[in-house]
Amino acid sequence: MIDDDVIEFANKECSNVVLSLDGRKEIHDRYRVDYAGNGSWERIVPKFQKLVEAREGKNYYMRGTFTHANPDFLKDIQQMLDLGFTELSMEPVVCAPGEPSELTQEDLPIVMEQYEKLAELMLKREKEGKPFTFYHYMIDLTGGPCIYKRISGCGSGTEYMAVTPWGDLYPCHQFVGDEKFKLGNIWDGVTNTEIQSQFASCNVYAHPECKDCWARLYCSGGCAANAYHSTGSITGVYEYGCTLFRKRMECAIMLAIAKALGE
């Protein structure tokens, strides 16, 4: 749990901090429990608020997750706003097919509508002088994705890695604990170069299914963890995630145009 030492270190040493709050109390406490099975929402929220206040304007993200339990995730975003957080991200769940939290086809129209309502809420609050950011709606329509972004994909395993408390290295936090993806450790560096090479080539050009997608260069092949957990391969295609990504792009483009026109 976060304490004063963690807050001091994070705000002194980290240019950006990602905080995990799944959303509403009942949603967060569904999975985020302690060893006794008690929910953590009431204990962690005041600490998050203290950390963000102490950052004095430095970047952070309040990151939530929507699952089959909360496809109506705009309620969770509204809860975060009510708590005073304004730099937000809401991610679709990453899980194996058939798990209870898996997003279903029945959830899809709800989620798509939530993205549209979120964009409308952002415009409304912008006019009211109470803006907030949403990570997936922050795009550059003038320059677009550079060639480096296109060939690096999400960058897991190459541009960044996850470091466990005991010093092991993994491509990203979503692979931690899966030994076949262990890259090495902080003492010996990367020793599993074969796996790292696979991640290095995991980009949009490794996915023939992507060649006709209009959003492919912004996605650059998508999330390797999503692909692996849904298809069994880091170069697989998580089609549900593709649908959500294109919707986010549509909403981001709408927001950019509306702001440019002063609407």
Side-chain angles (χ1 to χ4, degrees):
M1 299 290 282
I2 291 177
D3 57 23
D4 289 343
D5 288 340
V6 171
I7 291 175
E8 181 181 0
F9 178 85
N11 289 342
K12 179 181 179 181
E13 303 293 345
C14 300
S15 61
N16 199 353
V17 174
V18 179
L19 309 171
S20 292
L21 184 72
D22 283 351
R24 292 160 280 172
K25 182 178 186 301
E26 61 269 26
I27 294 298
H28 179 86
D29 286 349
R30 184 183 182 92
Y31 296 111
R32 308 279 186 159
V33 298
D34 59 21
Y35 288 111
N38 300 312
S40 59
W41 197 90
E42 291 186 352
R43 283 176 291 164
I44 199 65
V45 164
K47 295 181 179 183
F48 282 162
Q49 291 173 317
K50 183 177 182 180
L51 186 151
V52 169
E53 183 179 1
R55 286 190 70 73
E56 298 181 339
K58 292 176 67 177
N59 290 342
Y60 72 93
Y61 275 106
M62 181 56 66
R63 182 192 186 280
T65 303
F66 62 89
T67 71
H68 181 60
N70 61 321
D72 55 343
F73 64 83
L74 189 57
K75 294 179 180 178
D76 301 297
I77 286 179
Q78 187 63 63
Q79 175 71 88
M80 294 174 184
L81 291 170
D82 291 344
L83 292 169
F85 304 116
T86 57
E87 298 183 36
L88 311 180
S89 173
M90 202 76 188
E91 309 282 345
V93 65
V94 177
C95 65
E99 289 192 9
S101 60
E102 180 187 18
L103 291 164
T104 67
Q105 288 301 316
E106 288 72 26
D107 296 326
L108 187 58
I110 301 172
V111 172
M112 301 287 264
E113 182 183 40
Q114 296 294 288
Y115 279 129
E116 292 180 0
K117 289 184 175 180
L118 170 59
E120 293 170 359
L121 176 63
M122 293 182 74
L123 285 176
K124 178 176 181 291
R125 286 181 58 109
E126 181 87 21
K127 293 176 181 178
E128 295 172 347
K130 299 182 294 183
F132 68 96
T133 61
F134 183 68
Y135 176 76
H136 292 295
Y137 288 178
M138 299 170 68
I139 61 171
D140 180 3
L141 292 181
T142 55
C146 64
I147 186 63
Y148 186 78
K149 168 62 179 173
R150 299 178 194 178
I151 62 176
S152 66
C154 73
S156 58
T158 54
E159 292 183 358
Y160 65 89
M161 302 175 199
V163 184
T164 69
W166 43 93
D168 290 335
L169 302 175
Y170 288 87
C172 85
H173 68 283
Q174 297 182 83
F175 290 100
V176 168
D178 193 330
E179 287 297 306
K180 63 178 169 291
F181 290 110
K182 182 179 174 181
L183 295 173
N185 58 62
I186 59 173
W187 297 278
D188 303 316
V190 174
T191 54
N192 192 346
T193 55
E194 180 181 353
I195 285 293
Q196 188 178 51
S197 295
Q198 291 178 25
F199 277 85
S201 61
C202 188
N203 56 43
V204 67
Y205 301 111
H207 299 78
E209 302 92 338
C210 300
K211 66 178 182 179
D212 294 323
C213 176
W214 63 267
R216 66 189 181 279
L217 297 183
Y218 282 94
C219 163
S220 198
C223 170
N226 272 335
Y228 176 71
H229 289 295
S230 61
T231 70
S233 170
I234 63 171
T235 57
V237 174
Y238 177 41
E239 294 183 3
Y240 198 108
C242 295
T243 301
L244 298 186
F245 183 88
R246 285 190 289 268
K247 187 62 178 180
R248 292 195 296 264
M249 286 296 299
E250 290 175 2
C251 291
I253 291 169
M254 182 278 286
L255 272 172
I257 292 173
K259 290 180 180 180
L261 296 176
E263 297 181 0

